[in-house]
Amino acid sequence: MQLTGAEILIRCLQEEKVEYVFGYPGGSVLYIYDELFKQDKFKHILVRHEQAAVHAADAYSRSSNKIGVCIVTSGPGVTNAVTGIATAHMDSSPMVIISGQVPTHYIGQDAFQECDTVGITRPCVKHNFLVKDVRDLAVTLKKAFYIAKTGRPGPVLVDIPKDITNQKCEFEYPKTISMRSYNPVVKGHSGQIKKAVQLLLEAKRPVIYTGGGVILSDAAERLIQLAQGLGFPVTNTLMGLGGYPATDKQFVGMLGMHGTYEANMAMQHCDVLLAIGARFDDRVIGNPVHFGEVARKIIHIDIDPSSISKRVKVDVPIVGNLPDVLDELQKLLDASTGNPDAKALAQWWKQIDEWRGKKSLKYKQGKELIMPQYVVEKLYEVTGGDAFVTSDVGQHQMWAAQYYKFDKPRRWINSGGLGTMGVGLPYAMGVRFANPKATVACITGEASIQMNIQELSTAKQFRLPIKIINLNNRYLGMVRQWQQMFHGNRYSESYVDALPDFVKLAESYGHVGMRIERPADVEPALREAFTKHKNDLVFMDFLTDQTANVYPMVAAGKGLSEMILAEEL
Amino acid sequence: MRHIISILIENEAGALSRVSGLFSARAFNIESLTVAPTEDASLSRMTIVSTGSDDVIEQITKQLNKLIDVVKVVDLSEAAHIERELMLVKVRATGKDREEMKRIADIFRGRIIDVTDSSYVIELTGNGAKLDAFLDAIDRTLILETVRTGVSGIGRGDRILKV
């Protein structure tokens, strides 16, 4: 039977078992929205701004390992979506973005709501397509879903001109797809894995350092088995939190710019480093020259060869899908007659415990001002450590990462790579759609939340009981912190005047608003929000200490072991 | 170090911009880039001349391989290879310069492929150094226009880049 392009698109999404599509209609996608109206196999979530559609689909994907899908119209629909797409790209989130385009014969004519979508998005997608013939549509969509989720995942955009959505052809959805130009590696090189086993067993001061790859590839269980079998310390990157249980004794905390003292010291001074699904970025290892001053052997497992030896030269590169490689590694370890050097390891743990003794995350909660760290700690207690937590970007993001101890993967959703303010609320929406019964908290600040505040309306429409934890210090906190530390206390444009009354704002959208000004009220307010208002969106505006800074800190360009600790200021 | 990187890429709209965009986005050098379809019209062959340390060249080849449309990447300069470039030079050719220009073109195995009463167009192939040498050998003030294709390269003997 002949179907129109719009019908074909809908059928393809159904074939891919898509549950939710996040989007916003417009001229170029009207045929698509007309077909969407006529079907009920998947639901469309109408956001209030295209950026939020992409973020929500992104978080839907991150919190479930299903592919997030969104639809935006041509021109401004696409340009609004770009920040969301770039955010997903930097954190390797598998997504398919469908964008409308002006009719094929208008392309290049500066038509109304025309932009060069494929050109604009090219540097921030894993791949993109412009469909010029309706007969190519089904196979292009099949490729888009395949590319998005295989190899190192990422967003794939399919640009569909309006006339294509109204032209007809025979529909057949390909069952499988093969591309001669795209064949991601799965199995790791067995010789390299053997070398890795050898190094691990010889290690005196080993560290396992894991990133977002462990979360994305669902390799957490294998990581736990490997790490606990070896008895090695484990540190996670910001994107890797939850990949290894934060409450386990082998966990030394997050590393990097705001990592714990023990994690950074262990990373700097280890003799064998096992890096898994991480990429040694500037916020993680600081200055690569300083990092390289200590001799150590590095084993790096990653699905993306270009992530290996990019910033730091490694000794044993292993390209492959993490679960497959870790299985192989475990098999060889189990079969090996050798054991980790128990004596050396005991000595190493003694050293690490000494570093732990610095208690680099301690802070003082007085009676007057609410410390932001305290709010996160109380949130952790009140939710039993079992919430899905999204964050925006800035100080509150770091506090969330430091003080909410994630024991499970896919519970911590934030923009690590691009560092996009405004993701928190749409992320929380996406998480809730993927996990309809879950407790979802969005830790944010008064600046970030205003970057997608309009989504309070979407949250109302779909009755999403998100708890917004607004750490309100009336400053762009991280900017203020850097200005205090590196720019002579000149707080250039980092004070935010004329803030809205967030309680009234929440109420005007039909939600519950709370303002919490005293430390003693923090826990009772949280308990009220998560029990009495379990089924409501609650906007909790915590007025916090304006001078609080994030510690420890490795200043940009400094070495990992050159940390500034709280008490040093 | 100078490297010659050969790429087989799907002959799709926008393929060139994916490659050139990658180089500009990651601040890699391009000295020259040539591209045309191969005998299999679904594939294009690209030759890129780039300079950089071994680490940079390694990143370039890895990043090129990561592009979804790229089928194969080879660093030709890793082993025996041939590189050629085509240059067309339009020169003023009047009076005694006319004979001299013909003579130098012959020495460089160039061919005169367009003649007017006051100019020649000379076609010359070779590696970059040879083309440079030709330009140095003739009277610079007589050059009206030059156009060069950039380097195309191919491996010697059994080194074959094919799907």
Side-chain angles (χ1 to χ4, degrees):
Chain A
M1 199 177 81
Q2 298 246 320
L3 299 182
T4 66
E7 289 171 308
I8 289 171
L9 169 63
I10 300 298
R11 288 282 295 275
C12 291
L13 297 182
Q14 291 171 345
E15 292 279 346
E16 289 291 336
K17 310 245 180 327
V18 170
E19 295 175 301
Y20 291 102
V21 171
F22 301 83
Y24 205 99
S28 296
V29 288
L30 280 174
Y31 289 116
I32 297 172
Y33 271 82
D34 199 35
E35 290 309 320
L36 223 152
F37 186 82
K38 298 176 194 164
Q39 64 87 45
D40 59 2
K41 288 209 172 131
F42 61 85
K43 292 196 185 69
H44 180 272
I45 307 303
L46 177 69
V47 294
R48 301 299 181 263
H49 187 289
E50 286 89 350
Q51 183 189 346
V54 186
H55 289 326
D58 177 2
Y60 173 86
S61 160
R62 293 183 197 219
S63 63
S64 69
N65 199 19
K66 291 179 250 182
I67 295 185
V69 180
C70 43
I71 303 180
V72 297
T73 194
S74 63
V78 166
T79 54
N80 276 348
V82 165
T83 300
I85 298 170
T87 305
H89 183 58
M90 281 291 265
D91 290 343
S92 308
S93 189
M95 290 184 59
V96 172
I97 301 109
I98 311 290
S99 59
Q101 181 55 279
V102 299
T104 42
H105 51 280
Y106 282 13
I107 290 178
Q109 309 286 313
D110 297 324
F112 177 65
Q113 293 194 329
E114 180 187 355
C115 72
D116 174 12
T117 299
V118 166
I120 288 174
T121 58
R122 186 182 306 115
C124 62
V125 291
K126 183 171 176 186
H127 196 58
N128 58 17
F129 297 94
L130 169 63
V131 181
K132 288 193 192 142
D133 187 328
V134 68
R135 288 167 297 183
D136 297 335
L137 182 57
V139 68
T140 304
L141 286 161
K142 181 77 188 177
K143 280 184 188 170
F145 277 89
Y146 171 64
I147 293 169
K149 70 186 168 196
T150 50
R152 179 176 179 174
V156 179
L157 180 140
V158 182
D159 199 28
I160 312 176
K162 185 169 185 178
D163 53 331
I164 302 292
T165 60
N166 195 35
Q167 286 165 10
K168 287 187 166 179
C169 75
E170 285 297 324
F171 171 67
E172 193 193 349
Y173 198 60
K175 289 210 162 43
T176 55
I177 199 97
S178 86
M179 296 168 70
R180 63 180 170 184
S181 65
Y182 177 69
N183 296 292
V185 179
V186 176
K187 292 252 175 278
H189 188 281
S190 59
Q192 295 292 84
I193 298 176
K194 262 187 212 137
K195 273 194 220 162
V197 168
Q198 190 72 25
L199 274 178
L200 290 173
L201 293 177
E202 286 166 5
K204 309 279 182 218
R205 301 185 309 279
V207 164
I208 301 176
Y209 142 66
T210 81
V214 169
I215 313 282
L216 285 164
S217 65
D218 283 333
E221 276 178 34
R222 289 172 175 87
L223 169 65
I224 294 169
Q225 191 193 355
L226 177 75
Q228 297 189 343
L230 289 165
F232 291 178
V234 183
T235 178
N236 289 161
T237 67
L238 178 70
M239 295 310 297
L241 292 174
Y244 190 84
T247 52
D248 186 85
K249 61 181 190 313
Q250 278 173 242
F251 188 64
V252 294
M254 179 173 78
L255 82 166
M257 183 172 270
H258 294 296
T260 64
Y261 187 74
E262 53 271 32
N264 285 345
M265 291 300 276
M267 183 79 175
Q268 180 72 15
H269 296 289
C270 65
D271 71 337
V272 173
L273 179 62
L274 174 59
I276 308 176
R279 59 188 178 89
F280 295 87
D281 85 274
D282 58 303
R283 288 299 194 261
V284 166
I285 60 153
N287 183 344
V289 176
H290 181 275
F291 185 67
E293 279 167 8
V294 180
R296 63 177 89 67
K297 294 280 181 202
I298 303 178
I299 305 157
H300 190 177
I301 313 174
D302 206 287
I303 191 135
D304 176 7
S306 74
S307 278
I308 298 178
S309 290
K310 183 168 69 180
R311 298 194 74 239
V312 168
K313 203 92 190 137
V314 311
D315 302 281
V316 184
I318 304 173
V319 178
N321 186 36
L322 293 187
D324 293 273
V325 176
L326 292 181
D327 277 347
E328 187 66 23
L329 190 65
Q330 189 68 54
K331 220 165 66 193
L332 290 186
L333 269 174
D334 292 344
S336 163
T337 50
N339 283 309
D341 185 339
K343 217 171 123 192
L345 214 48
Q347 197 62 34
W348 181 227
W349 274 113
K350 210 178 132 212
Q351 171 67 70
I352 289 170
D353 285 337
E354 230 168 80
W355 288 328
R356 271 177 171 160
K358 281 255 184 195
K359 298 201 182 307
S360 60
L361 292 181
K362 70 168 181 273
Y363 63 94
K364 267 201 201 100
Q365 175 59 67
K367 287 213 165 72
E368 295 301 320
L369 294 172
I370 298 174
M371 294 303 286
Q373 300 93 322
Y374 179 72
V375 180
V376 179
E377 285 200 312
K378 287 294 155 190
L379 175 70
Y380 174 77
E381 282 173 35
V382 168
T383 55
D386 205 33
F388 285 76
V389 177
T390 73
S391 90
D392 271 298
V393 169
Q395 287 184 316
H396 65 266
Q397 177 190 22
M398 293 300 113
W399 287 317
Q402 290 174 329
Y403 296 93
Y404 201 100
K405 298 185 274 291
F406 295 95
D407 276 342
K408 293 179 195 157
R410 298 192 183 279
R411 293 298 177 98
W412 164 238
I413 316 290
N414 81 127
S415 167
L418 198 66
T420 308
M421 288 171 70
V423 295
L425 178 53
Y427 270 1
M429 297 174 356
V431 169
R432 179 71 188 188
F433 283 112
N435 305 274
K437 292 198 175 118
T439 303
V440 185
C442 163
I443 299 180
T444 182
E446 80 289 348
S448 281
I449 191 70
Q450 292 192 81
M451 286 208 187
N452 265 318
I453 192 81
Q454 76 286 347
E455 297 309 315
L456 284 174
S457 176
T458 310
K460 185 66 194 175
Q461 183 177 343
F462 295 96
R463 304 290 187 272
L464 303 174
I466 296 159
K467 305 297 179 276
I468 296 173
I469 313 297
N470 189 41
L471 301 177
N472 184 346
N473 60 2
R474 286 77 77 205
Y475 273 106
L476 311 185
M478 192 58 96
V479 173
R480 188 202 54 69
Q481 177 169 342
W482 282 51
Q483 288 172 336
Q484 180 192 343
M485 297 170 83
F486 313 120
H487 298 278
N489 296 303
R490 291 179 297 280
Y491 298 133
S492 177
E493 304 298 320
S494 55
Y495 179 70
V496 183
D497 210 343
L499 287 173
D501 178 333
F502 286 110
V503 174
K504 281 190 189 153
L505 181 73
E507 286 168 358
S508 79
Y509 277 106
H511 301 303
V512 177
M514 291 181 178
R515 180 175 298 110
I516 303 95
E517 300 180 36
R518 299 183 55 79
D521 298 333
V522 170
E523 189 176 339
L526 283 166
R527 293 212 182 274
E528 186 183 337
F530 283 95
T531 51
K532 183 176 162 201
H533 298 298
K534 191 172 185 297
N535 298 319
D536 300 314
L537 186 150
V538 185
F539 194 114
M540 309 188 73
D541 188 22
F542 292 91
L543 294 190
T544 61
D545 184 344
Q546 294 188 286
T547 63
N549 284 339
V550 183
Y551 296 112
M553 179 166 186
V554 178
K558 291 283 185 182
L560 257 191
S561 55
E562 302 172 313
M563 275 166 282
I564 305 166
L565 300 176
E567 69 261 28
E568 286 170 9
L569 277 177
Chain B
M1 253 280 273
R2 178 174 176 272
H3 288 254
I4 303 170
I5 297 164
S6 264
I7 305 166
L8 280 178
I9 187 167
E10 297 287 353
N11 187 11
E12 306 250 355
L16 173 60
S17 56
R18 287 184 203 281
V19 172
S20 61
L22 168 67
F23 274 73
S24 62
R26 295 195 180 265
F28 298 145
N29 286 318
I30 298 186
E31 228 167 68
S32 75
L33 187 159
T34 66
V35 58
T38 63
E39 78 283 3
D40 170 357
S42 71
L43 283 171
S44 286
R45 169 108 176 213
M46 234 178 247
T47 308
I48 298 176
V49 179
S50 181
T51 50
S53 63
D54 289 352
D55 290 350
V56 170
I57 299 297
E58 182 183 331
Q59 263 301 308
I60 290 176
T61 53
K62 282 174 169 178
Q63 293 291 348
L64 285 169
N65 268 311
K66 206 164 128 179
L67 293 176
I68 304 293
D69 281 340
V70 167
V71 184
K72 275 191 178 165
V73 180
V74 159
D75 183 350
L76 283 181
S77 38
E78 273 179 348
H81 65 280
I82 301 157
E83 59 174 282
R84 286 290 180 274
E85 188 175 353
L86 169 69
M87 175 166 71
L88 302 176
V89 195
K90 190 179 286 178
V91 290
R92 185 172 293 119
T94 50
K96 64 177 184 4
D97 293 333
R98 214 168 158 82
E99 192 46 40
E100 175 66 4
M101 198 56 80
K102 169 84 173 72
R103 222 165 48 80
I104 298 179
D106 286 344
I107 292 170
F108 279 85
R109 295 200 183 85
R111 296 198 303 144
I112 296 173
I113 55 174
D114 184 55
V115 179
T116 70
D117 51 8
S118 62
S119 72
Y120 289 152
V121 173
I122 301 167
E123 173 198 306
L124 206 64
T125 56
N127 61 23
K130 175 184 164 184
L131 304 189
D132 291 342
F134 175 76
L135 293 177
D136 287 340
I138 61 175
D139 181 349
R140 286 253 163 183
T141 61
L142 298 177
I143 299 173
L144 298 171
E145 194 180 341
T146 65
V147 54
R148 294 166 73 147
T149 57
V151 170
S152 284
I154 197 163
R156 282 193 185 270
D158 291 340
R159 294 185 81 209
I160 291 163
L161 178 59
K162 213 174 158 63
V163 172

